[in-house]
Amino acid sequence: EVQLVESGGGLVQPGGSLRLSCAASGFTFSRSHMTWARQAPGKGLEWVSAINNAGSTDYADSVKGRFSISRDNAKNTVYLQMNSLKPEDTAVYICASPRTWFGRRFPSTYDYRGQGTQVTVSS
């Protein structure tokens, strides 16, 4: 059974940092591309960042320079380091595995996805 379990969310003040983790099981993690996406209240799922199975990364313009994605294949885990957080970063963050690297920016192509972890940026 495929499982993606996110953790690390919480309440943080503007300008603060959080590190999200996503533990994967049930599929060959090291061969898989991984993404982070987010869903704010009343909005659709928005792609945030992706890392391919060779370690190359990609970021949405809205988070470039503030967020950093990484992976540890020995632990079957992908991370999202979020710095300089803004209130507009408030959302449920999910990790997912896209079918192809080309489809990393399109949530409809995600084969697997987790339940998400809430990130709230507020003073």
Side-chain angles (χ1 to χ4, degrees):
E1 179 189 5
V2 171
Q3 282 195 319
L4 293 168
V5 180
E6 302 92 340
S7 61
L11 173 64
V12 62
Q13 292 187 340
S17 297
L18 281 175
R19 188 194 195 203
L20 306 184
S21 300
C22 172
S25 61
F27 63 103
T28 308
F29 179 81
S30 61
R31 296 182 182 176
S32 301
H33 310 312
M34 299 298 296
T35 71
W36 285 95
R38 65 188 180 186
Q39 187 161 22
K43 297 188 177 181
L45 196 58
E46 174 194 19
W47 171 73
V48 173
S49 181
I51 185 166
N52 72 6
N53 54 16
S56 296
T57 60
D58 192 18
Y59 298 93
D61 288 343
S62 58
V63 306
K64 199 171 293 183
R66 300 188 297 123
F67 290 12
S68 177
I69 190 171
S70 61
R71 66 190 296 160
D72 185 338
N73 288 339
K75 295 182 178 180
N76 282 5
T77 300
V78 61
Y79 304 97
L80 186 68
Q81 177 66 44
M82 306 187 296
N83 300 326
S84 302
L85 282 161
K86 305 175 181 180
E88 51 263 43
D89 294 319
T90 295
V92 174
Y93 284 71
I94 70 144
C95 71
S97 181
R99 197 167 303 151
T100 65
W101 183 240
F102 177 80
R104 64 193 181 277
R105 298 189 175 205
F106 309 107
S108 63
T109 73
Y110 296 167
D111 280 341
Y112 314 123
R113 63 180 67 183
Q115 293 298 308
T117 185
Q118 176 71 47
V119 172
T120 303
V121 184
S122 175
S123 55

